Amino acid sequence: MSPGLEVSVEIVSVAVMAPVLGADLSYVTGVDARVRALDANQAMRDREPGRLSDVLAAADVLLVGYPVPDRLAGQAPRLAWAHHTQAGVSNLLGSDLWTSPVTLTTSRGVVGATAIAEYVLAAASYFARGLQEGTRQKRDGLFTAEGYQLTSLRGATMGILGLGGIGQEVARLSRAAGLRVIGTRRSAAAPAADTDGADLVLPAGRILEVAAESDFLAVCSQLTPETRGLVSERVLAAMKPGAVLINIARGEEVDEDALIAAVTAGRIRGAVLDVYDGELAGRPPRPELLALPQILLTPHISTRGDPGLAEPVRVLFAENLRRFLDGLPLLNVVDRDRGY
């Protein structure tokens, strides 16, 4: 059993605060007759603080989506385990769940991996097949074949920083499109060929080598103290002049001052960003990110458009709930010291 999971299994009350998973809670109650589902979604919709407090006070388990309220653990004295519907833990850092002894699990590896990987391939194609130049010309009222720098994805190199669940799906789709894939993984102690879906996996400390070889460099790593500012001035300087940065992780992993300088000076071709520094704090993006034509910025939408997005999360949570009831180790337990 995971640390902190000491709870009677006669009846386990599961509070569901995740509207993205739908109103039907049978994926919770269908796990075992010992499970009682508490609909925190309805309590939030009814805007009855007292009712929500009552739900949390009775909860042994919490299934929570985004956004994560600041105060949850403090209202849930029975709470032993909380599962987050998102892959990363950065959404939890402002909540008292993070500072409590409650065991935390996430949906890393199952939530939106294919949709995000498709976004990365679309971002690469946006530059490779000239769509960025077409967008620029349309804005400027031009229509000419001059200025297009067309390249092929086939034979190009996709660099992936963070070969976790999302990174491996990016690798799979990239190889299917004919790209060579190299990447980094924190757990890699030495270079390994044909591993984790990539042609070559290097230790995380060899990021400059990956940057230097990549035509497209995708940031897929979790935000931790080690990855904050991961794509630094040195990394950007190591990239090819025609290379493109793609960030679907967290904005805080990219030094935006260095990125803007590199793009403005033409040291890299451009960037596609689905996230930006300050997004987690609710700040708007920097004006330069919106103004520079070589940078395409989208509002954290790379997981959207997948009609089956919720089902893998339901399945993962149900499996973990079975494990919880049976006293078995949970999947995707968060290591607070490592930050994921």
Side-chain angles (χ1 to χ4, degrees):
M1 181 177 288
S2 299
L5 301 189
E6 297 178 3
V7 62
S8 168
V9 293
E10 293 180 3
I11 293 293
V12 171
S13 296
V14 179
V16 180
M17 186 183 288
V20 69
L21 299 184
D24 182 358
L25 303 184
S26 60
Y27 65 93
V28 177
T29 57
V31 169
D32 193 285
R34 294 170 287 177
V35 174
R36 178 176 62 141
L38 306 175
D39 193 348
N41 294 331
Q42 186 63 51
M44 289 191 297
R45 285 194 297 270
D46 293 345
R47 300 183 183 275
E48 296 181 18
R51 184 177 173 189
L52 179 58
S53 296
D54 290 344
V55 168
L56 292 172
D60 301 301
V61 175
L62 175 64
L63 175 55
V64 62
Y66 177 83
V68 181
D70 295 344
R71 187 170 176 267
L72 289 173
Q75 300 183 72
R78 296 164 51 98
L79 193 63
W81 160 45
H83 181 84
H84 189 29
T85 60
Q86 305 301 300
V89 301
S90 52
N91 301 321
L92 297 168
L93 298 180
S95 167
D96 63 355
L97 288 173
W98 188 256
T99 55
S100 76
V102 171
T103 295
L104 299 175
T105 58
T106 69
S107 300
R108 69 176 185 268
V110 304
V111 59
T114 299
I116 294 171
E118 290 175 348
Y119 178 100
V120 172
L121 264 291
S125 297
Y126 178 75
F127 277 91
R129 304 314 302 153
L131 303 183
Q132 184 271 339
E133 177 62 19
T135 300
R136 186 193 70 81
Q137 287 196 18
K138 182 177 181 180
R139 182 202 64 184
D140 294 343
L142 302 173
F143 188 70
T144 173
E146 296 180 9
Y148 283 86
Q149 302 175 37
L150 301 185
T151 59
S152 177
L153 294 182
R154 182 170 297 277
T157 296
M158 175 69 75
I160 301 173
L161 306 182
L163 278 164
I166 292 171
Q168 289 179 45
E169 185 68 355
V170 172
R172 184 183 73 83
L173 294 190
S174 295
R175 290 177 88 177
L179 287 97
R180 170 178 176 255
V181 176
I182 60 174
T184 63
R185 189 157 196 179
R186 181 177 180 178
S187 60
D194 208 18
T195 301
D196 292 333
D199 295 282
L200 178 65
V201 178
L202 297 176
R206 295 176 65 172
I207 181 176
L208 294 180
E209 295 176 49
V210 175
E213 291 192 36
S214 299
D215 298 292
F216 307 98
L217 185 63
V219 186
C220 301
S221 48
Q222 296 271 0
L223 176 61
T224 68
E226 289 78 19
T227 62
R228 188 175 291 273
L230 176 69
V231 181
S232 62
E233 184 176 5
R234 289 182 67 215
V235 171
L236 290 161
M239 292 174 67
K240 300 176 182 180
V244 173
L245 179 71
I246 304 167
N247 189 6
I248 51 79
R250 286 292 184 265
E252 287 74 12
E253 297 186 41
V254 174
D255 180 336
E256 289 184 354
D257 286 332
L259 173 62
I260 290 166
V263 168
T264 302
R267 292 195 296 272
I268 66 171
R269 188 173 180 184
V272 179
L273 312 174
D274 192 41
V275 289
Y276 62 89
D277 189 2
E279 177 192 2
L280 295 176
R283 298 196 301 271
R286 296 171 57 155
E288 300 97 319
L289 298 180
L290 298 172
L292 282 168
Q294 304 96 317
I295 295 179
L296 176 63
L297 180 65
T298 57
H300 207 155
I301 47 79
S302 58
T303 60
R304 298 185 188 180
D306 182 354
L309 182 66
E311 185 58 23
V313 179
R314 296 188 195 106
V315 171
L316 173 62
F317 179 75
E319 172 60 24
N320 259 351
L321 185 54
R322 291 187 191 95
R323 289 168 173 260
F324 178 81
L325 293 166
D326 295 337
L328 299 174
L330 302 183
L331 305 174
N332 287 2
V333 173
V334 172
D335 183 332
R336 287 174 171 84
D337 291 333
R338 298 181 71 178
Y340 59 91

